[in-house]
Amino acid sequence: MQLDQAHIDEIRLQYELSMAIGTSLDTQEMLYHTLSTFLRKLNCAAGSIYLCRVDEDLFEPFCAIPRNVDRNRSCDAVRVHLGDTTSESDKLAIRESMPMQGGNGDAGFFHIIELPDVGFMSLVRFGEPLKPSLLKSLTPLLDKLAKASQACLQTEELARTNRDIKIERNMLRTLIENTPIVVFAVDQH
């Protein structure tokens, strides 16, 4: 069975995207590198990644290219199409409605794709939208990106916790070392 050139190109694209995921345990660095590769390989003009964590706003991008969020069309697409969502039920409804896409050739086509259990990615492409078959073939890569993001976030949380424990240990050690030693002698009578 001989593969046609389009299928070979799709496999090559998937391989190159796969190799860009998980290159670092620093969340910001890894996501920026991955997003940059996605934009370059998928011929997109703008992109952003949103991590949905409890302590952060849903609509603040963790990583965006271009970095200026006010001029980033993928961030605009998220603001326009997902609105101001704050409740957990709204966030769940958004995740269930993904992938989302729309737009036109002049303003660009937007794609909002879920990163399972982590957040979502928004991409803007001019000319024509991403093919549905390509979006479907990206699913395992997006799963890998989500798992790599979780690993980075867990590593950063572990480092923060370890740093806090060291600070507390040093405070206790200082307290114990600077406490005067008192010796009691007890008379048997």
Side-chain angles (χ1 to χ4, degrees), residues 86-189:
T86 54
S87 73
E88 287 302 316
S89 61
D90 290 343
K91 291 177 185 178
L92 183 62
I94 287 172
R95 285 189 195 108
E96 290 174 356
S97 68
M98 291 183 190
M100 299 171 71
Q101 61 185 34
N104 58 46
D106 296 334
F109 294 94
F110 72 89
H111 302 274
I112 301 174
I113 312 161
E114 182 182 17
L115 299 174
D117 300 324
V118 175
F120 56 92
M121 176 189 294
S122 175
L123 302 171
V124 171
R125 183 176 189 201
F126 292 105
E128 61 184 37
L130 296 172
K131 295 177 183 171
S133 62
L134 176 61
L135 285 172
K136 186 174 181 178
S137 72
L138 291 178
T139 302
L141 297 174
L142 296 172
D143 289 342
K144 180 181 178 183
L145 178 57
K147 289 176 182 169
S149 299
Q150 286 175 332
C152 289
L153 293 170
Q154 289 171 353
T155 301
E156 289 177 359
E157 179 64 29
L158 184 61
R160 262 192 309 275
T161 303
N162 193 18
R163 188 178 54 244
D164 292 346
I165 288 172
K166 284 182 180 179
I167 290 170
E168 289 176 17
R169 185 181 328 147
N170 289 338
M171 284 182 2
L172 285 173
R173 180 174 288 140
T174 303
L175 180 66
I176 290 171
E177 289 174 355
N178 292 325
T179 302
I181 299 175
V182 179
V183 177
F184 291 95
V186 180
D187 222 359
Q188 288 184 2
H189 299 294

Side-chain angles (χ1 to χ4, degrees), residues 2 23 30 42 49 51 54 67 79-80 150 175:
Q2 186 176 1
T23 56
M30 189 272 296
L42 296 175
I49 295 177
L51 299 181
V54 177
R67 291 184 188 210
R79 281 190 294 268
V80 168
Q150 286 175 332
L175 180 66

